[in-house]
Structures are given as C-alpha cells and as structure tokens.
Amino acid sequence: MAENETLECITEHERILQEIESTDTACVGPTLRSIYDDQPNAHKRFMEKLDARIRNHDREIEKMCNFHHQGFVDAITELLKVRADAEKLMGQVTDTDRRLQEAGREVTAQTEEVIRCRIQQRNMATTVEKLQLCIPVLEMYSKLKEQLESKRYYAALKTMEQLEKVFIPRVSQYRFCQIMAENLPRLREEIKEISMSDLKDFLESIRKHSDKVGETAMRQAQQHRTFNSAVAKQSSIGHYTKPVYSLNGQTHTQNGLMINDDTGDEEEADEEILTAQDLVDFSPVYRCLHIYTVLGDRETFENYYRKQRKKQARLVLQPQANMHETVEGYRRYFNQIVGFFVVEDHILHATRGLVTRAFTDELWNMALSKIIAVLRTHSSYCDDPDLVLELKNLIVIFADTLQGYGFLVNRLFDLLFEVRDQYNETLLKKWALVFREIFELDNYSPIPVETEEEYKLVVSRFPFHDAEIEKQDFPKKLPMSQSVPQIYTQVKELIYASLKFSESLHRSSTEIDDMLRKSTNLLLTRTLSSCLQNLIKKPHIGLTELVQIIINTTHLEQACKYLEEFITNITNVSPETVHTTRLYGLATFKDARHAAEGEIYTKLNQKIDEFIQLADYEWGMAESDGRASGYLMDLINFLRSTFQVFTHLPGKVAQTACMSACKHLSTSLMQMLLDTELKQISMGAIQQFNLDVIQCELFASSEPVPGFQGDTLQLAFIDLRQLLDLFMVWDWSTYLADYGQPTNKYLRVNPATALALLEKMKDTSKKNNIFSQFRKNDRDKQKLIETVVKQLRSLVNGMSS
C-alpha cells in the first residue's frame, strides 16, 4: 500500500508540474493551493520534485547552450564588427536628421500657416452658411423697423407674420432670434396702441370737420336741386309766368331760386366742390381696421368704433341754446349731422362690415327722433317768417341730401307741415303789424287821382272798375281810401310768401293750391278781421272814418274773387276741381262792415248823449222862450251834416243809422223828463220841451236820409208826441175813457209814464207850482187831478198784477 500511495503522489506531482508549466501564471494559485490541501508534508515532497525538475531543465539548458555556444560566439564577433558601422551610420543618420530638421523647419512653419488658413477658411464657410440663413431674418427685421417708422403698420404686421412663421424658425437657435421673437408681441401691442391712437385722432378730427363735410354735401344736393329746377323751368316755358316778389330785401322767383347781385356766390358755385373723401383722410380707419383684423381682434375694434360714433352722434345732435335766433345756427346744426352720416355712409361702403346698414339705420332713427324734437322746439321760438322760410329751405336740402345717401326722410317732410303752420303763424303776426301800420297811416278819405297815369297806377294795384267814375274827368276821386290797394297788395304778398314755403315739399299742385287758400283764409278771417275789429273800436276813429271803413270793406269783399283767380293762375288748379278750398274771407269784410255799422250807431248815440248833456232846462219856468233850445239845434245841425256823409254808405246803412239816432234821441229826451232826480216840472217847461220835440219832428220829416217811406222816421218820436199832447191839451178824460182801445188817441202813452210826469207837476208845496192857482180858485179841478192820479195808479197796479 505504501508503494501505491507513493506512486499516486508522484503522479499527482507530475500533473501539477505540467499544469504549472502549461498554465498562465494568473491561475497558478489554485494549483499551488491543491498541494497544501493534500496529505501532510506533501509540499516537501513536491519541493523535492520541483527541485529535481529544475535541475533537469538546467541540464537541458546547459546542453543547449553548449550546443549553440560556437554560433553565439560567432554572432558576438559579427556583432562587434557591425558596432563600428552602426556608430558610423548613427552619426550619418544624426547629421541627416539635423539637416532634415533644418530644412523642414520652414516647411513646418508654412504647413502650420496652411493649417491655420484652412481652419479659417472652414470657419468662414460655416459663417457664410449661417449668415445666409440669418441675413433674411435681419433684413426682414430691418424692414419691419422701417415700416414702423413710416407708420406702415399693416405691412409691418405682415412682415412680423413672415418672421414668425418662416424666417425665425430657421435660425431659432441663435439668441438674437429669441430676442426678436420675444419682442414681436410687444411690437404688435405698440402697433395696436398707435393705430388706436390714430383712430382716436381721426374721430376727434372728423368731429371737427363734420361741419365742412356736411356743408359740402348739402351744397352738392342744393346744386343738384337747382339744376333740376332750372330744367323744369326750361321745359315749362310758355306757361304762366309767376311774378317776382320780395321778402326782407331778398328777391325771389316762384321757382324757388334766389336772385342776388352778389357775384361772390356765382364764383363760389363755379368752384369745384370737393367730396367727403377729398375733405377727410379715412386711412386711419382703414389702417386700424386692417391691423385689428390681422391681429384677430376685429370685433373689439368694431365695437369700439361704433360705441364712439354713437357718443359723437349724441354730441352732434345736441343743439346750441340760441340756435333758433339765426339761420346760421340751424345751418351749422344740419351741416354737422349731414357730415356725420356722410362719413358713416362712406365707412359703410368702404370697409365692408365695420358698420352695417342696420347700425346706420339705428343711428339715423335715433337721430331723426332727436332732430324732429329739436326742430319742433326751436322753431316754436321763432317769430320771424323769413327765418322760418330759411329753416324750411334748410330742412328740404337736409332731407334731400340724406335721402341721396339712402336714409328715410319722410318724417322730416311730415315735420315741414308743422313748420308750415308755424310759418303761417309768424306770417300772420308779421302781416298784423303791416295791417296796423296801413290803418294808422290811412287818411280815410277817397283816393284823389289827378292824371290818367295815377289812375292806372291805382287800378294796377287793386282791381277797381266803375264805369261812372271812369267817365268822369280828371281830377277825380276813387271811393275807397289808400289802405284798400295796400291791403290787397299785402294779401297777395302773403300768398307769395305762403307759396314760397309750399314749394319743394314734393306736393301736388292741388295740395299747394289748398295750402295757399287756407293761408289766405287764415289771413282774412283772423289777422285782417282782428285788425279791422280793433281799428273800429279805437277811440279816435270817428263817424267819417267808420263810413270810409264800411266803403273800404265793401270794395275788399268784391276783390276776393280776384284773389281766387290770382291763386288759380299761380297753381294752375281750376277752382272747379273737387275739394278745392274756397275763400271764405268774404265773411271777414261783412263782419267788419257790420261791426263798423254798429260802431257808427254807438258813436252817433254817444254824440247825441254829449249834446243832451249840454241841455240846461229851467224846469220850473212859468212860460217857454218861444224858440227851441240851443243845444238841440246844434244837435240837429250835427245830424244833418253827418247824414250827408252817410249818403256814400251802401245799402240801408244810412237809413238804419238815421232811424237809430232818432230813436235814441227820443229815448234820451223821454229819460230826461222821467229822471228820478227831477222832482217837479212846470207847464212852461213842458211847453219849452214841446218846442224842442217839434224841431226833432221837423228834422225827421225833412228826410235827412233818402229812402224812408212816409212818416216812418217821425214815428221815432211818437211816444214823446202823444205824451206831450196829453199834457198840453190836458185831455185826461179821453185818455182814461179810451185806454186799452186800438183807436185811443194816446195809445203810445204808458200809464206809468203819465203818472210819473203828473206826479212831478202836482206838487203844491212850491210857490211856482202851476196848480197853486187851482188850489185858490178852482178846487174842483184840483180834485179832478187827484182823481186822475188815483185812476192812473189803479191802471199801473192793474198792469203790474
């Protein structure tokens, strides 16, 4: 067994040695560890084995060395020989290297320069390539700056858009591009602010220039209307030529044109009229609209613009407090409004959506309501017809102008009917002053004409025709006073003035004819009638003047048919047309004539009263003077001269006045006898009073005014006559016996009247009483008087019961 173990150990050691010899040194450790892991003292045996192997190898090395020694020696010998050559060669190489170094030093320097140039060339190429990408960005940004400086903001926004979408993305890695990209939103906001500021400046400017724009537009409309009127006038040659008339020194023709000697207007008309586009620079609006559209904020801009224009509209529609005082105030007001809506109309058609037709219509409807309210208020303050006429012309031009821009103006023409009523009122007020002045300056005497020329001049102003007067030789007198042709002329002037307002209202001839007739009727029935009534009531108008007024009104009444013909000639509307208004001003002159007649009666009675107040009867006289009283003779003389003037009165006016005067005189004399203040009357006073009544009866029987039949005028004194006869004859028995009978001689004597007068005569308490003798000499007669008094009282009491 020992031998087996030893054999195995030797075999193992051989294996380990082979592994050591054949294995990499890094793996020797596990092999060596296995030596120590075996039986104890195995490593000693392995060391021994290892030493034996080393010795074995040494022997083999020695054998090999010995085998190759001679060759080694030979090699050394050869090597020593080569050593000298090597040193020589080394010297040559060193010298060659030195020479090469010296020769290549310049080449090396040039090579480094070439390398540096090549690097620079490469860098330059790279730089050029990058600059070619950056230069368009910089050029666009420079272009953007130039556009901003020149205020080409819309183009600048387009440039920004190209920068953001095309150019900057190509070179976004560079910091300057990042700065540009960060700066563009700020520039956009600046553009928005600048454009909005320009818009605000535009809105402020357009507010100031609206007056000029409106004036230009209205002048164009007026020239167009004037041209149409001229064409219409040219086409109507051969028809009735309407006369020229004057208002406040301005000469007008019936076609609505104004004749003015001032050549400045003609020169102005010859000038080229600028349009709203010529007067207003709308570029701020377009620019701002484009900018906000590009920025995607168009709605904000539209809302702002419309809001601001609404505010400006309200400011434009606000009138000045004293606008109604001058036509310039109205003109400026209309110019501003027209200018505002002309601008809006231009914006509507030029911007496509900034404002809409609905928006402008809404603004116009709001403005129209305000305009109508303003005009209605301010026109009511105006009392000058020329100013109202100018206002009407302005309203027509204003309406025509805006109608030409597509705005509805029907309500303005409806307003003109209200203004027409106001115009008529102012005309009536003005003509009232004219009529008053005419009446005040009239001498109320027939118009004297010395020559044929004077006569023709009068009849050219007033349609007077009288065959008898025409046959008379010059000089002669026309029956009416100078106020008649003046009144007739002024009525025609009002018709002209009313026609002037009726023109250009787009109304038919029938409607214009109706307007003229209504205006004329108002003038006659209100203004002229009022002036006539006031004239008749004036204290200084005497009987002669009243007579002339009656004559004047008669001629004016007859002239009304010529006024109708005059209106017919102006309007070319036949009076037989259905619904044609007739001139009912005839009633004016009839009423005035009746009022004058009544005033004649009143003044005549007042004059009679003045004479009667001069009566100074001695009621207690014993006997009469044997002649009529002086005051009564003066009164009769006055009546005679007055009634001679009355012979010129038409109809039965003179007869009525004479009868009225006689009745009033009779009544006044009766009242004088029955005056309660008069306590006693003597028979002598009765006799004197009887003489006065006789003079009145003689006057009545002398036919002071022709036309009375029989003793009609004398009947005015019948009551006095029967009463005085009763007392003068003292025929009480007949009176009392026949009382109540139709055949009573004293039928007109009232018992109360007889009793009152008898009571004044029976007073016996005074010494001069006529019945004092009766009381002494004939008491039976006194008793008879008492009996008569009692019977009269019983009659009076019976009548009262």
Side-chain angles (χ1 to χ4, degrees):
M1 289 182 67
E3 291 179 357
N4 290 333
E5 292 177 356
T6 304
L7 182 59
E8 293 177 356
C9 184
I10 293 171
T11 304
E12 180 67 19
H13 289 168
E14 285 292 335
R15 184 185 63 78
I16 291 171
L17 288 173
Q18 289 179 357
E19 288 181 359
I20 291 170
E21 289 176 354
S22 61
T23 303
D24 190 7
T25 56
C27 298
V28 174
T31 303
L32 295 177
R33 191 179 296 112
S34 65
I35 296 173
Y36 290 94
D37 291 338
D38 289 339
Q39 297 177 5
N41 299 319
H43 64 285
K44 291 182 179 181
R45 288 191 294 276
F46 177 75
M47 290 299 295
E48 292 175 356
K49 189 68 175 175
L50 180 62
D51 291 335
R53 176 63 64 89
I54 292 171
R55 286 193 298 274
N56 188 24
H57 281 296
D58 287 339
R59 283 194 296 274
E60 290 179 357
I61 290 170
E62 187 177 357
K63 288 179 181 181
M64 185 175 292
C65 290
N66 290 327
F67 178 76
H68 293 288
H69 180 266
Q70 186 58 43
F72 177 72
V73 171
D74 293 337
I76 291 300
T77 301
E78 290 293 331
L79 183 61
L80 290 174
K81 291 179 181 180
V82 171
R83 180 178 182 180
D85 294 334
E87 289 178 354
K88 183 179 178 180
L89 180 60
M90 185 66 182
Q92 293 177 349
V93 169
T94 301
D95 184 59
T96 301
D97 179 66
R98 180 183 57 76
R99 286 188 284 111
L100 285 174
Q101 290 293 333
E102 291 177 356
R105 185 176 292 112
E106 184 178 355
V107 175
T108 301
Q110 292 179 355
T111 301
E112 291 178 354
E113 182 68 20
V114 169
I115 292 173
R116 188 177 62 80
C117 289
R118 289 293 179 86
I119 292 174
Q120 289 180 348
Q121 186 177 12
R122 185 180 67 247
N123 291 341
M124 290 174 65
T126 303
T127 301
V128 169
E129 179 182 357
K130 298 301 181 182
L131 284 176
Q132 286 178 347
L133 293 176
C134 295
I135 285 175
V137 179
L138 295 173
E139 288 177 346
M140 291 297 288
Y141 195 79
S142 176
K143 180 181 178 181
L144 173 63
K145 289 293 186 179
E146 292 177 358
Q147 290 170 341
L148 291 175
E149 291 176 358
S150 61
K151 298 183 179 181
R152 297 164 54 203
Y153 300 119
Y154 178 71
L157 290 175
K158 289 296 184 182
T159 303
M160 288 184 191
E161 184 178 1
Q162 291 180 349
L163 279 172
E164 287 180 330
K165 294 182 178 180
V166 179
F167 293 95
I168 291 181
R170 296 177 183 175
V171 288
S172 59
Q173 69 273 20
Y174 297 109
R175 187 170 179 271
F176 78 91
C177 291
Q178 296 175 0
I179 295 174
M180 286 183 184
E182 293 173 357
N183 198 31
L184 290 181
R186 182 183 61 80
L187 293 178
R188 280 196 178 91
E189 291 300 322
E190 288 182 1
I191 291 175
K192 287 179 68 174
E193 293 176 359
I194 293 172
S195 61
M196 184 58 70
S197 176
D198 291 343
L199 177 66
K200 292 177 180 179
D201 294 340
F202 167 80
L203 293 175
E204 183 66 25
S205 174
I206 199 62
R207 180 184 172 189
K208 297 178 180 178
H209 290 84
S210 291
D211 191 1
K212 185 65 176 177
V213 173
E215 180 184 358
T216 301
M218 289 183 68
R219 190 185 307 161
Q220 289 175 324
Q222 186 175 13
Q223 287 188 348
H224 179 70
R225 188 162 66 91
T226 302
F227 174 76
N228 291 340
S229 299
V231 171
K233 180 181 178 182
Q234 183 69 25
S235 63
S236 63
I237 293 178
H239 294 285
Y240 173 73
T241 303
K242 300 174 183 177
V244 178
Y245 63 96
S246 174
L247 280 178
N248 275 7
Q250 292 180 338
T251 305
H252 304 263
T253 62
Q254 294 305 309
N255 62 357
L257 301 177
M258 181 179 294
I259 302 173
N260 196 328
D261 294 335
D262 188 4
T263 58
D265 293 340
E266 296 178 358
E267 294 176 358
E268 184 178 358
D270 293 337
E271 294 178 358
E272 180 182 359
I273 297 180
L274 301 177
T275 62
Q277 294 82 355
D278 299 324
L279 295 173
V280 179
D281 180 16
F282 290 94
S283 58
V285 180
Y286 305 148
R287 195 161 50 236
C288 199
L289 176 62
H290 287 313
I291 288 171
Y292 274 78
T293 302
V294 170
L295 296 177
D297 204 8
R298 180 187 176 105
E299 184 177 358
T300 300
F301 173 75
E302 290 177 356
N303 294 335
Y304 176 81
Y305 178 85
R306 296 178 184 182
K307 181 179 179 181
Q308 293 301 316
R309 290 299 279 170
K310 281 185 177 180
K311 290 182 179 179
Q312 288 189 343
R314 293 188 179 93
L315 292 176
V316 166
L317 295 171
Q318 192 68 29
Q320 296 180 352
N322 60 343
M323 186 179 71
H324 62 277
E325 296 179 357
T326 61
V327 69
E328 288 301 322
Y330 288 108
R331 181 175 285 112
R332 285 193 298 270
Y333 182 66
F334 287 138
N335 286 344
Q336 290 177 358
I337 296 173
V338 170
F340 178 89
F341 283 100
V342 167
V343 169
E344 286 305 292
D345 181 77
H346 178 78
I347 293 295
L348 172 67
H349 292 90
T351 58
R352 297 182 182 179
L354 177 56
V355 295
T356 62
R357 174 55 67 181
F359 172 76
T360 55
D361 289 344
E362 178 186 358
L363 272 182
W364 172 242
N365 291 330
M366 180 270 292
L368 189 58
S369 300
K370 180 67 175 178
I371 292 167
I372 291 174
V374 167
L375 293 178
R376 185 178 288 126
T377 300
H378 282 263
S379 63
S380 63
Y381 297 145
C382 184
D383 55 1
D384 182 3
D386 294 314
L387 181 56
V388 178
L389 182 61
E390 291 286 351
L391 173 59
K392 168 258 174 181
N393 291 332
L394 285 176
I395 293 176
V396 170
I397 297 173
F398 174 71
D400 289 345
T401 303
L402 290 175
Q403 191 175 32
Y405 285 91
F407 297 99
L408 298 177
V409 295
N410 293 336
R411 292 174 61 189
L412 285 174
F413 284 103
D414 294 337
L415 172 67
L416 285 175
F417 284 92
E418 298 181 27
V419 178
R420 182 197 65 187
D421 296 337
Q422 175 66 20
Y423 178 68
N424 288 337
E425 290 297 324
T426 57
L427 285 180
L428 294 180
K429 291 179 181 178
K430 179 178 179 180
W431 258 256
L433 297 176
V434 172
F435 289 153
R436 291 194 192 106
E437 184 178 2
I438 290 174
F439 290 142
E440 289 176 0
L441 298 178
D442 193 8
N443 56 10
Y444 297 98
S445 300
I447 300 176
V449 287
E450 302 292 335
T451 62
E452 182 72 22
E453 288 73 15
E454 293 182 8
Y455 179 78
K456 290 181 179 180
L457 179 61
V458 174
V459 297
S460 67
R461 298 170 57 200
F462 180 76
F464 174 77
H465 304 286
D466 190 314
E468 294 183 0
I469 294 180
E470 289 178 358
K471 293 178 182 178
Q472 296 177 5
D473 296 331
F474 292 98
K476 53 188 174 182
K477 290 185 177 181
L478 305 183
M480 65 280 189
S481 65
Q482 62 184 3
S483 63
V484 172
Q486 293 175 351
I487 293 294
Y488 183 80
T489 301
Q490 287 302 321
V491 173
K492 291 173 63 176
E493 287 292 330
L494 179 125
I495 295 174
Y496 289 140
S498 181
L499 174 65
K500 185 61 181 175
F501 190 94
S502 301
E503 290 179 337
S504 304
L505 294 184
H506 308 299
R507 298 295 172 180
S508 65
S509 298
T510 304
E511 290 176 302
I512 294 176
D513 183 85
D514 185 65
M515 294 177 189
L516 295 182
R517 293 178 184 272
K518 287 182 177 179
S519 300
T520 307
N521 281 329
L522 282 176
L523 178 70
L524 297 178
T525 58
R526 282 179 48 187
T527 307
L528 184 55
S529 176
S530 176
C531 291
L532 284 172
Q533 296 293 339
N534 293 333
L535 173 66
I536 292 169
K537 298 295 183 182
K538 286 187 176 180
H540 70 277
I541 298 297
L543 293 172
T544 304
E545 288 80 3
L546 290 172
V547 171
Q548 188 62 55
I549 289 173
I550 293 175
I551 297 172
N552 290 347
T553 54
T554 302
H555 287 283
L556 287 172
E557 181 181 349
Q558 295 171 354
C560 282
K561 63 179 181 180
Y562 297 101
L563 290 176
E564 288 195 347
E565 293 177 1
F566 177 73
I567 295 175
T568 300
N569 290 333
I570 289 178
T571 60
N572 293 323
V573 176
S574 174
E576 286 76 20
T577 304
V578 181
H579 304 307
T580 298
T581 304
R582 305 293 298 179
L583 287 184
Y584 49 83
L586 299 172
T588 295
F589 303 112
K590 290 180 180 179
D591 294 341
R593 188 160 55 252
H594 293 159
E597 292 170 3
E599 193 67 20
I600 285 176
Y601 308 148
T602 301
K603 287 186 177 294
L604 196 56
N605 294 340
Q606 290 175 351
K607 202 68 176 178
I608 292 173
D609 292 339
E610 292 177 4
F611 280 101
I612 290 178
Q613 288 176 1
L614 299 177
D616 188 16
Y617 286 102
E618 187 179 347
W619 297 107
M621 66 173 54
E623 294 180 0
S624 66
D625 294 338
R627 61 172 183 238
S629 302
Y631 85 92
L632 187 67
M633 296 307 296
D634 293 339
L635 172 58
I636 291 175
N637 291 332
F638 165 75
L639 292 177
R640 288 184 187 280
S641 61
T642 299
F643 291 141
Q644 287 178 358
V645 177
F646 283 11
T647 56
H648 300 289
L649 289 175
K652 297 183 179 181
V653 178
Q655 298 176 13
T656 305
C658 187
M659 178 60 74
S660 173
C662 290
K663 285 184 178 180
H664 184 72
L665 177 57
S666 176
T667 303
S668 300
L669 292 174
M670 181 69 77
Q671 290 176 350
M672 190 186 300
L673 284 176
L674 302 179
D675 188 3
T676 56
E677 298 295 329
L678 181 59
K679 301 301 183 182
Q680 61 181 10
I681 299 176
S682 65
M683 184 56 71
I686 293 294
Q687 294 171 351
Q688 181 64 40
F689 199 82
N690 183 58
L691 293 175
D692 293 341
V693 174
I694 290 173
Q695 290 297 324
C696 293
E697 292 172 331
L698 291 174
F699 169 75
S701 63
S702 66
E703 197 176 6
V705 173
F708 286 106
Q709 295 180 356
D711 57 353
T712 302
L713 193 57
Q714 291 174 284
L715 292 178
F717 301 96
I718 190 65
D719 292 352
L720 269 176
R721 173 47 51 209
Q722 291 185 7
L723 179 62
L724 291 175
D725 286 348
L726 177 61
F727 277 84
M728 293 289 292
V729 178
W730 206 253
D731 194 7
W732 293 106
S733 59
T734 303
Y735 176 76
L736 295 174
D738 296 340
Y739 180 77
Q741 299 297 324
T743 59
N744 189 357
K745 181 181 179 181
Y746 307 103
L747 182 63
R748 305 298 294 269
V749 178
N750 189 291
T753 303
L755 178 60
L757 187 56
L758 191 57
E759 288 285 351
K760 296 177 184 293
M761 298 181 67
K762 78 179 187 65
D763 189 355
T764 59
S765 62
K766 296 184 180 291
K767 294 181 180 180
N768 59 350
N769 195 307
I770 190 173
F771 297 111
S772 62
Q773 298 295 326
F774 296 160
R775 191 169 53 250
K776 294 178 181 179
N777 303 322
D778 196 351
R779 294 186 180 275
D780 293 335
K781 196 172 183 178
Q782 179 67 29
K783 291 179 180 179
L784 178 60
I785 293 175
E786 294 293 340
T787 302
V788 172
V789 170
K790 290 178 181 179
Q791 290 178 350
L792 289 174
R793 285 176 178 171
S794 64
L795 290 175
V796 172
N797 293 333
M799 292 174 62
S800 61
S801 64

